[in-house]
Amino acid sequence: MIRSLILAGAIALSATVASAEEPIVGNWKTASGDTAVIASCGGGYCITLKTGKYAGRKIGSLAGKDGSYSGEITDPSNDKTYSGSGTVSGGSLKMQGCVLKILCKSQTWTRL
């Protein structure tokens, strides 16, 4: 009986660890004060604005793991898409968008 309980506990713990989400997943306050939600989608992560002038608009897709991600980011004000990256460190997410990998702009978002 005790062995069965220990085995069941070990299986439950391993399932929890295996399904742990990446640190990028969640709600973030952008540099402009809007809220963006980052969620798993299609093997990567989609960034959608939740509040503000462009609420409901998808503004990026990233792929990666362990706090380092890359993909595309769209500026909703001019609808231009750039190569982008994101790095999570604690409760901060440094987002960067680049043109030709030489002209880059960065923002730091905070976890909500």
Side-chain angles (χ1 to χ4, degrees), residues 80-104:
K80 291 188 179 185
T81 300
Y82 306 95
S83 63
S85 63
T87 306
V88 178
S89 178
S92 295
L93 170 60
K94 182 179 179 185
M95 297 293 286
Q96 185 175 51
C98 299
V99 175
L100 302 173
K101 296 186 180 184
I102 55 172
L103 300 172
C104 301

Side-chain angles (χ1 to χ4, degrees), residues 28-37 47 49 51 59 107-110 112:
W28 298 88
K29 183 176 183 180
T30 68
S32 64
D34 297 334
T35 298
V37 62
I47 307 167
L49 290 174
T51 64
I59 60 165
Q107 298 183 354
T108 300
W109 297 0
T110 53
L112 293 176

Side-chain angles (χ1 to χ4, degrees), residues 36-61:
V37 62
I38 301 179
S40 296
C41 71
Y45 304 94
C46 292
I47 307 167
T48 305
L49 290 174
K50 196 173 183 179
T51 64
K53 183 177 179 180
Y54 303 102
R57 191 169 200 185
K58 181 182 169 189
I59 60 165
S61 60

